[in-house]
Amino acid sequence: MLAVESVSKRFGGLMAVDNASLVLEPGGIIGLIGPNGAGKTTLFSMISGFVAPSDGRILFEGTDITGEEPHRRAERGIGRTFQIVQPFAGLTVCENIAVGAYLRHAKRADAIGKARDVARRVGLAAELDRPAGGLTVAGRKRLELARALATEPKLLLLDEVLAGLNPSEIRDIIPVIRGIRDEGVTILMIEHVMQAVMNLCERVYVLAQGRMIAEGKPAAVCADPRVIEAYLGHGAAARLAAEGAAHG
Ligand SMILES: Nc1ncnc2c1ncn2[C@@H]1O[C@H](COP(=O)(O)OP(=O)(O)O)[C@@H](O)[C@H]1O
Ligand SMILES: [Mg+2]
């Protein structure tokens, strides 16, 4: 479905993404994890077309889309959420979701109908006619998810949709994400909440300082010394192993 081939992005002197590759088969939920500043959001922006790679190419369903506009990629079926959630505060929840739905529905009534349908799926049905500006953080995260879903994506890129939610809000939204996967949407999710990654993802890629340093099943990846070092610093894996031995 998606092949990111040796993609790099340079911002001035900084290699935000450095020769990163990734392959997604259709179906399933795949994680993208890594410390802050690793280049995860930049990689999403290159897949969705908001940032042009300095090098490498991106294929979607076998077609090279590297130079395509974000709007064209959305038409192909690549949807994304944004890490910084910015709804149109003056519009209702329904109208905000309809903005996404207009991609495939030219008529207002159809777009609104699609928006209502998506709102139900993400648990926003009761908020449809409220101003988006009045939503809680959890509500805004659901709205962000709904806006992306309303474009009817085949591939959905989720950028930290659980960030800022409390444990019970996370418990509530996990089945929503699973439900989207069950309807046939392939999901690539950036996530810091490891419990959710373990719960949801079949496979995980790990980005650190722009480089893809590991890939595999979540449990194996989290036990990988390279990954522990990337998060906790040089020597951390050895220190943890020594502590583990000391505590039996
Ligand atoms: N538009 C930009 N211009 C300059 N530097 C950027 C830009 N976007 C991101 N960066 C830098 O690129 C690096 C990767 O950022 P980002 O992709 O947001 O990481 P992550 O999402 O993994 O936290 C960071 O050092 C960040 O400051
Ligand atoms: Mg980010």
Side-chain angles (χ1 to χ4, degrees):
M1 167 162 267
L2 179 75
V4 172
E5 296 182 347
S6 305
V7 158
S8 298
K9 180 62 193 181
R10 179 184 288 282
F11 291 117
L14 173 81
M15 283 298 268
V17 175
D18 187 357
N19 199 23
S21 297
L22 167 161
V23 175
L24 296 188
E25 302 295 333
I29 303 177
I30 307 301
L32 177 60
I33 66 171
N36 277 326
K40 304 180 299 294
T41 296
T42 302
L43 185 59
F44 265 26
S45 295
M46 291 193 283
I47 297 170
S48 52
F50 292 87
V51 165
S54 313
D55 209 350
R57 51 178 213 156
I58 297 167
L59 307 184
F60 183 66
E61 297 185 316
T63 305
D64 188 338
I65 59 164
T66 315
E68 281 187 354
E69 294 294 311
H71 186 260
R72 180 75 193 101
R73 298 190 208 200
E75 284 173 355
R76 286 189 185 276
I78 300 177
R80 77 170 286 184
T81 65
F82 288 86
Q83 186 172 359
I84 316 282
V85 180
Q86 289 176 314
F88 300 106
L91 300 185
T92 65
V93 168
C94 183
E95 288 162 341
N96 265 276
I97 304 173
V99 171
Y102 279 115
L103 180 70
R104 300 193 200 281
H105 302 277
K107 287 191 195 140
R108 183 182 155 84
D110 294 344
I112 297 287
K114 179 72 197 173
R116 291 187 171 275
D117 168 44
V118 168
R120 221 171 296 119
R121 279 158 69 195
V122 305
L124 277 177
E127 326 282 341
L128 269 168
D129 298 320
R130 303 223 176 107
L135 288 176
T136 61
V137 172
R140 257 180 267 161
K141 292 287 185 169
R142 283 174 193 263
L143 176 57
E144 187 61 15
L145 192 54
R147 290 206 294 182
L149 267 183
T151 65
E152 300 173 43
K154 294 179 190 169
L155 170 65
L156 181 58
L157 309 172
L158 303 180
D159 196 348
E160 297 197 29
V161 289
L162 307 181
L165 303 188
N166 68 39
S168 95
E169 290 164 339
I170 291 172
R171 267 197 305 277
D172 289 344
I173 205 162
I174 280 181
V176 174
I177 296 171
R178 228 181 243 127
I180 296 166
R181 186 266 321 267
D182 291 343
E183 286 167 25
V185 179
T186 306
I187 297 174
L188 179 61
M189 64 187 300
I190 296 174
E191 202 42 78
H192 279 298
V193 180
M194 285 314 289
Q195 178 211 347
V197 171
M198 293 291 193
N199 241 307
L200 284 168
C201 299
E202 287 131 46
R203 226 155 38 88
V204 188
Y205 283 90
V206 187
L207 202 58
Q209 296 182 327
R211 301 217 173 106
M212 213 57 99
I213 60 164
E215 182 268 333
K217 294 225 154 68
V221 158
C222 291
D224 186 328
R226 285 170 304 176
V227 176
I228 296 169
E229 307 251 357
Y231 274 93
L232 302 177
H234 185 63
R239 284 198 303 277
L240 283 178
E243 269 180 40
H247 295 295

